[in-house]
Amino acid sequence: MQLQPTFLTLLVILLSLVSSCAFTSNPASCRSSITERHQASSENEMSSNTAATTTLTGPQWFQHQISITAPSRGCHLITGEVQKHIGNDLSKIRMGMCNLFVQHTSASLTINENADPDVRTDMETAMNKIVPAKWNRDGTFRHTMEGDDDMPGHVKSSMMGVSLNIPIRNGRLALGTWQGIYLNEHRDQGGWGGGHTRNIVITLQGMA
């Protein structure tokens, strides 16, 4: 038979008191001490159970889809736009995670500096050097029918990634002081249909 922790605790207390009472001339005092310790143990257990009940809550789930039109090819800071759409539900979560997922193959998401706009310009310059458009014309790429920016855009999207996970702390995105969310548009025309409108699915989960 497996003994429960509470029963074992009471058993140890009783044995210690019985042992001490064997050497005392005041049995009534021993009985009083045993009763007081049992009551204290029960109160502590009730207090622990109450704390667990008030601390633990069920998970909260919210999902949004937003569309953002990038004004041009390059890296664009969208932190404010994201927070504007999710702010109400975000405030309900004390601890959790925010996932952002862009539903396109020639755009990406990343986190980087939110202060100096030159960082975003330099990011685009670096990506163009890493995956140059000339590869579309020199035989490097075979998928070339959609323009010089298409296949390089696919490569950049996979390199930078299409999703982000950001911790939620006390109803806010736990971004660092200088961190911002970037939408990276890798095409001049934004793919089929023109323009640069990109859909982003945002999923919030956590404890209230």
Side-chain angles (χ1 to χ4, degrees):
M1 180 179 68
Q2 184 176 2
L3 298 178
Q4 297 297 321
T6 302
F7 179 80
L8 289 174
T9 302
L10 291 173
L11 183 60
V12 170
I13 293 173
L14 287 171
L15 288 174
S16 64
L17 287 173
V18 168
S19 175
S20 63
C21 285
F23 300 97
T24 182
S25 59
N26 191 350
S29 175
C30 286
R31 288 194 296 271
S32 175
S33 178
I34 292 173
T35 302
E36 290 173 358
R37 294 197 186 188
H38 178 269
Q39 289 176 343
S41 177
S42 299
E43 290 172 359
N44 288 338
E45 183 179 356
M46 291 176 60
S47 176
S48 176
N49 290 337
T50 302
T53 302
T54 56
T55 299
L56 298 177
T57 60
Q60 303 289 314
W61 287 85
F62 305 97
Q63 192 168 80
H64 300 257
Q65 179 169 316
I66 65 175
S67 295
I68 296 180
T69 301
S72 63
R73 176 170 156 175
C75 303
H76 306 280
L77 188 64
I78 63 168
T79 312
E81 191 76 8
V82 169
Q83 291 177 327
K84 181 178 72 175
H85 283 86
I86 67 172
N88 185 52
D89 290 334
L90 182 65
S91 66
K92 300 173 185 176
I93 299 177
R94 184 165 55 87
M95 180 177 64
M97 190 69 67
C98 171
N99 174 267
L100 296 90
F101 179 84
V102 61
Q103 297 178 303
H104 301 275
T105 60
S106 53
S108 63
L109 298 169
T110 193
I111 292 176
N112 220 297
E113 181 169 329
N114 61 14
D116 187 354
D118 285 344
V119 172
R120 300 193 287 278
T121 301
D122 291 344
M123 290 281 286
E124 171 67 9
T125 300
M127 291 303 296
N128 291 335
K129 288 183 178 294
I130 294 170
V131 191
K134 69 179 182 179
W135 286 358
N136 222 51
R137 301 184 298 272
D138 67 6
T140 302
F141 291 147
R142 299 175 62 182
H143 177 77
T144 60
M145 293 178 61
E146 297 179 49
D148 285 351
D149 60 348
D150 181 55
M151 191 58 217
H154 293 322
V155 176
K156 294 171 185 176
S157 176
S158 289
M159 289 179 64
M160 301 192 79
V162 295
S163 67
L164 296 173
N165 285 321
I166 304 173
I168 299 171
R169 181 190 299 149
N170 296 325
R172 302 182 65 181
L173 297 178
L175 290 166
T177 302
W178 306 111
Q179 287 183 320
I181 303 168
Y182 286 13
L183 169 62
N184 309 302
E185 174 55 62
H186 301 307
R187 298 211 62 187
D188 293 316
Q189 298 300 322
W192 291 106
H196 296 86
T197 300
R198 301 303 194 180
N199 299 321
I200 302 173
V201 178
I202 306 172
T203 305
L204 309 174
Q205 58 172 310
M207 309 300 289

